[in-house]
Each structure stands twice: as C-alpha cells, then as structure tokens.
Amino acid sequence: MADVEQLQQDYLAQIAGADLAGLEEIRIAALGKQGAISGLLKTLGAMSAEERQEQGPRINGAREAVTTAIAARKDALESAALNARLAAEAIDLTLPAAATPQGSVHPVSQVMDELAEIFADLGFAVATGPEIESGWYNFTALNMPETHPARAMHDTFYFPDRNAAGEEMLLRTHTSPVQIRTMMAQKPPIRIIAPGRTYRSDSDATHTPMFHQVEGLVIDKDITMAHLKWTLETFVKAFFERDDIVLRLRPSYFPFTEPSAEVDVGFTVEKGKRVIGGDPTGPNGGWMEILGSGMVNPKVIEHCGLDPDEWQGFAFGCGIDRLAMLKYGMDDLRAFFDGDLRWLKHYGFSSLDVPTLSGGVGA
Ligand code: PHE
C-alpha cells in the first residue's frame, strides 16, 4: 500500500498545475464514484481490523489532502480571475460622461404648447376629440348637408365599414367636431381650444393629407364678434410676439357659423422674407389669410341640445402647421412629416424650453 502515498503525490502535483476544468477532471478521477481514492476506501470493508487500522488513516488522509488541495487551487484560480477582471474593467471616474443622444420637440408640438399657454391666460381650457369621427359629428351636426362638397369621396378619407349605429366613419377633416362634442358634454359658459390632427385628400408643397388645426370655441350669453376680434388680435400678437400686427376680417361662408369671417393678418417683407406685422398697406406690405371664424350658427347650438335664444358665441379654426411655418420660417410643409433627423435637429426645440408668457412663448 505504499502506492497510496504515491497516488496522493501524483494528484497533488496534477492539482498544482490544473486550470478550473482540469480540477474537475481530477476530482472525478480521484474522488468520484469510480475514482481511485474512492476505490481504495471501498477496500477498507474487506480488511481485517488491524489492517484497517493501519490503512484507514492513510487512505482517508489521502482523500482529505486531495480534497483540500482541489478547494485551495480552485479558490486561488477564481480570485486570480476576479482580480484580472477588476483590473481590466477599472472605471476612470474623472472621464467626462459619454454623450447621450438628445431628442427635440417638434415644431408642431412646440406651437401647440405655445397656443395652450396663450389661451390658458385668456381662460380657455384645452379640449380633445377622436380623429376617427362619424359623419354626424364631422358634417351633419355642423350644418353641412349631404350635398356639401367637403363630403365628397375625393376630399374625405372614409372607412369602408360603418359603426354599430350604422353611421359612416371617416378621418375628421377639421377640428370643428370638437365644438359639437364639447357643447354636448358640458354646460356653458364654454371657453376651449382644441388642437389636433386633421385629414384631407390633398398633397402638395403647402398641403399634406394629415395636418394640424386648432379650434376655438366660446359659448356664453352675450358673446359678440367684438370678442372674437379682440381674442384673435390678442392671440396673434402674443404668438408672433409683436404689437404692430393688424387683422382684417373678410365676410365669408361656413355652414356652421353665421355670420362668418375669414381672417387675414398683415405682413411686411423684411430682407426678402415675409414677416407677420408692420403696415400691410405700405409698399412692402400685404395680407395673408390665417383662419376661418364666425358666430356659431344657431342651428349648431340647437343640434347640441342648447337653446340658441339663451346661448351664443364664436368659433374659429386655424392651421397649426401654417402658424409654425410663418413664425419659424420653414417653407415646405412636407418636411414637417418626413421624420428627417437633420430637419428636426435644425428646427426642433429643447424639451426644457417650456413656453411661458413671461419668458416669451417662442423658444
Ligand atoms: N372648420 C373650418 C375649416 O376647417 C374652420 C372654421 C372653424 C371656420 C370654426 C369657422 C369656425 O376650414
């Protein structure tokens, strides 16, 4: 049995040079079920008492020596690996932080925020409505008869299926259905603006099939066109951040307002560019249409379940993309919706630059 010591020496020598995978192989070869030392331990049972007294400590000693050596080597290998990793992955806290890509606020969102801020100051709440509307909300309730040209297939995006009530469904062509929803949902007095997406079958440099409008609606007992004019003037001056802006109301026609007015804003050409403000009747001046408006048609008020002898008010609808182009100097509407990061980077606004009246609504 001199080979017990020999066996132990051999294993210890192998362990000293083994890697982690090698250690496991050695453990199985020596101490596993079929292992050499395990085999020797099994022979103890067949021995005489004296023999066992002599061999037992030798074999058990070998088992212990090999077990301890494997554990020690494993520990050493693992801590060496950890130290190597720590050294390789050291973080230099004095380095500047890596730049994180930063998004920006789209000009349309920026203008919507500016509108909300300006009109909040005048006591207007923000209302919203669905972009998928029924023909009733989008047209009929707004006094647009079946024969109205805006209802034509080639102007409006209709859905092939009707809703559960059998109504034709479509992508709203303006934000005016929010007037109806608001008057049906809340009691006057009402002062709301409703910014949002609208859709028409149109596409060129100044028209996209999806665009944005903001609706305005005021319903109370004594509202007149004077309130409309003052409100629009106050809004336009705050939005374009100039006091020398004049408006011109031109008689017009909308089925849902009576009387109706299209509103032009005075501009002047400064350094070859049109800017809102200045004298529109001067040599560099002119008028530009910016919105439609009027006194809410009594028929519309009635459709919403309100008494037109008790309640009256004004409404207006204005293109938001157009406002953004005029204020921030973009000339192609299509670029608004291309998602070109270079354009967004150039015209986008910082998310921290929240519009406020005191700080100037424009970024
Ligand atoms: N809905 C009209 C349009 O899209 C604008 C408008 C709104 C006119 C409210 C009058 C009153 O052209």
Side-chain angles (χ1 to χ4, degrees):
M1 276 290 170
D3 56 353
V4 176
E5 279 78 31
Q6 190 54 52
L7 198 61
Q8 176 178 333
Q9 288 312 315
D10 285 352
Y11 280 132
L12 292 184
Q14 283 178 42
I15 289 165
D19 60 10
L20 281 171
L23 279 182
E24 182 58 10
E25 277 168 27
I26 296 167
R27 189 191 65 77
I28 292 166
L31 306 167
K33 263 198 184 138
Q34 317 285 327
I37 294 178
S38 309
L40 289 174
L41 282 166
K42 279 179 207 153
T43 63
L44 287 174
M47 288 180 191
S48 65
E50 301 85 69
E51 215 180 343
R52 191 181 308 132
Q53 209 153 41
E54 195 202 323
Q55 298 301 334
R58 290 175 66 202
I59 299 172
N60 274 308
R63 183 181 60 99
E64 223 152 274
V66 170
T67 307
T68 313
I70 289 176
R73 174 75 183 155
K74 200 171 167 210
D75 256 12
L77 285 173
E78 281 174 352
S79 63
L82 182 63
N83 285 333
R85 235 182 90 190
L86 286 175
E89 289 179 4
I91 296 171
D92 183 350
L93 294 174
T94 65
L95 284 174
T100 40
Q102 242 203 319
S104 59
V105 176
H106 193 281
V108 170
S109 304
Q110 170 74 17
V111 168
M112 284 187 179
D113 288 348
E114 294 177 17
L115 293 170
E117 177 66 19
I118 292 168
F119 279 99
D121 197 53
L122 301 177
F124 286 65
V126 172
T128 55
E131 289 166 35
I132 297 175
E133 270 294 10
S134 69
W136 190 80
Y137 279 107
N138 195 80
F139 295 125
T140 313
L142 288 158
N143 194 36
M144 292 168 92
E146 295 287 341
T147 52
H148 196 281
R151 297 184 79 140
M153 288 300 288
H154 59 262
D155 281 328
T156 299
F157 295 111
Y158 288 94
F159 287 86
D161 298 325
R162 291 175 176 253
N163 71 2
E167 296 169 298
E168 56 185 357
M169 298 303 286
L170 47 92
L171 290 173
R172 66 179 181 188
T173 60
H174 50 179
T175 42
S176 298
V178 186
Q179 285 187 38
I180 306 299
R181 291 183 174 275
T182 307
M183 282 189 271
M184 292 178 75
Q186 68 192 62
K187 280 209 154 318
I190 290 169
R191 277 196 296 264
I192 56 118
I193 58 164
R197 280 189 276 269
T198 49
Y199 303 84
R200 283 180 208 175
S201 186
D202 249 348
S203 194
D204 59 39
T206 53
H207 297 88
T208 48
M210 188 282 302
F211 59 106
H212 299 82
Q213 283 192 336
V214 60
E215 194 80 7
L217 175 70
V218 172
I219 300 286
D220 208 332
K221 303 224 165 178
D222 309 304
I223 298 297
T224 69
M225 282 198 92
H227 296 112
L228 168 65
K229 185 155 189 266
W230 181 88
T231 303
L232 292 177
E233 266 172 15
T234 305
F235 147 56
V236 166
K237 285 177 184 173
F239 181 74
F240 289 105
E241 295 175 69
R242 276 178 77 144
D243 279 330
D244 62 342
I245 300 179
V246 278
L247 294 186
R248 178 172 79 174
L249 273 68
R250 266 183 300 109
S252 183
Y253 173 75
F254 299 102
F256 33 94
T257 46
E258 181 59 35
S260 302
E262 259 165 320
V263 177
D264 299 335
V265 64
F267 69 85
T268 42
V269 178
E270 285 176 14
K271 296 192 196 104
K273 275 190 108 176
R274 276 187 181 190
V275 290
I276 303 302
D279 179 9
T281 61
N284 294 322
W287 296 101
M288 196 185 312
E289 189 223 312
I290 55 161
L291 57 89
S293 65
M295 299 303 292
V296 179
N297 192 316
K299 288 188 196 159
V300 174
I301 294 186
E302 212 171 331
H303 286 153
C304 299
L306 297 173
D307 180 357
D309 290 328
E310 190 181 356
W311 302 108
Q312 63 186 38
F314 67 76
F316 63 85
C318 181
I320 289 181
D321 317 294
R322 194 65 197 299
L323 287 178
M325 290 168 83
L326 286 172
K327 181 163 176 178
Y328 294 113
M330 304 100 168
D331 48 20
D332 192 337
L333 177 61
R334 289 169 294 198
F336 275 60
F337 312 120
D338 280 348
D340 184 332
L341 286 177
R342 290 163 304 178
W343 188 89
L344 290 168
K345 224 182 164 124
H346 182 77
Y347 287 111
F349 296 87
S350 160
S351 56
L352 298 175
D353 211 344
V354 179
T356 59
L357 283 181
S358 54
V361 283

